[in-house]
Amino acid sequence: GDSVTQMEGPVTLSEEAFLTINCTYTATGYPSLFWYVQYPGEGLQLLLKATKADDKGSNKGFEATYRKETTSFHLEKGSVQVSDSAVYFCALTSGSRLTFGEGTQLTVNP
Amino acid sequence: NAGVTQTPKFQVLKTGQSMTLQCAQDMNHEYMSWYRQDPGMGLRLIHYSVGAGITDQGEVPNGYNVSRSTTEDFPLRLLSAAPSQTSVYFCASSRGQDATNEQYFGPGTRLTVT
């Protein structure tokens, strides 16, 4: 079945540092790929998505590129802020079900 | 728009009790789903619905029932609560009849079963 594997957390960075959160997937067919973010005490929100190979999703300074050859969708941001502290989830769907990774806790210190 | 609303926000049950978690959306979305979130395990799909009158099982359906009598509402029923069902439950909805569109999540219900 479909699965998503994220880098283990938690990740702690200083403000303005570069962020990478790794995500790899296993799926049949051609899934759509997502990053969702969960701020403390809230539900998840869509951060960005990509629907086909080589697509780049971007939002709020975050980027991720759909790499079919490496089955990856790594999340990057060039300069993180304290307000980016949250849990980040990589996810995929190839139909009726959305499959999530285990989540990566990010803490950004001033 | 209120988006996706969930009630209650917190609930404590004793083993064997039953309850219904409520979920409603006002965006006329066809697709609705329920997830549970447990530490280190991400979100796991319990049940989903692609429209009124249609429901299907997700990854972890045992111990839970759902129904979808209207487009707006998608309640989740625990018939006989067990400690293993202690979790945070999220309802979500999206346009269309599959999971490829943006999912809008409710604020969650934190359930403790003692």
Side-chain angles (χ1 to χ4, degrees):
Chain A
D2 296 347
S3 67
V4 177
T5 302
Q6 289 182 233
M7 69 182 286
E8 287 191 25
V11 174
T12 302
L13 296 173
S14 297
E15 208 165 22
E16 299 183 3
F18 184 85
L19 169 71
T20 299
I21 301 178
N22 290 339
C23 171
T24 57
Y25 67 90
T26 302
T28 55
Y30 302 94
S32 294
L33 301 175
F34 306 84
W35 278 100
Y36 279 84
V37 59
Q38 183 180 31
Y39 297 104
E42 298 183 10
L44 279 69
Q45 305 172 25
L46 179 66
L47 181 59
L48 53 84
K49 68 183 276 190
T51 57
K52 61 183 187 297
D54 300 324
D55 266 3
K56 177 186 282 189
S58 61
N59 186 25
K60 299 182 182 179
F62 291 89
E63 293 183 340
T65 301
Y66 189 148
R67 302 285 188 202
K68 191 163 169 34
E69 64 275 13
T70 55
T71 61
S72 65
F73 193 54
H74 305 320
L75 183 68
E76 296 182 336
K77 187 174 186 183
S79 177
V80 293
Q81 305 300 312
V82 172
S83 57
D84 294 327
S85 297
V87 181
Y88 292 81
F89 292 92
C90 187
L92 70 82
T93 182
S94 53
S96 298
R97 301 181 179 200
L98 192 59
T99 300
F100 285 90
E102 59 268 32
T104 302
Q105 171 81 52
L106 170 66
T107 300
V108 180
N109 294 320
Chain B
N1 282 354
V4 180
T5 57
Q6 291 183 238
T7 55
K9 199 166 177 61
F10 300 95
Q11 183 70 49
V12 178
L13 291 179
K14 289 183 169 28
T15 297
Q17 286 184 318
S18 63
M19 80 160 296
T20 299
L21 307 185
Q22 301 292 344
C23 174
Q25 52 90 10
D26 61 359
M27 297 174 282
N28 202 31
H29 285 169
E30 301 252 25
Y31 185 92
M32 296 187 74
S33 54
W34 276 102
Y35 297 87
R36 59 177 291 172
Q37 182 178 26
D38 302 294
M41 302 187 75
L43 278 76
R44 292 180 292 168
L45 181 65
I46 304 172
H47 286 285
Y48 65 96
S49 169
V50 299
I54 306 169
T55 64
D56 205 348
Q57 296 182 350
E59 183 184 354
V60 288
N62 292 342
Y64 307 95
N65 280 352
V66 292
S67 60
R68 183 96 180 268
S69 55
T70 67
T71 299
E72 294 78 19
D73 301 298
F74 191 45
L76 179 72
R77 296 185 189 83
L78 284 71
L79 297 179
S80 178
S84 60
Q85 294 178 305
T86 293
S87 188
V88 181
Y89 291 84
F90 288 99
C91 179
S93 73
S94 66
R95 291 184 296 107
Q97 292 193 322
D98 58 28
T100 54
N101 294 309
E102 177 179 359
Q103 301 288 310
Y104 292 83
F105 284 82
T109 294
R110 186 173 294 274
L111 175 68
T112 302
V113 183
T114 61

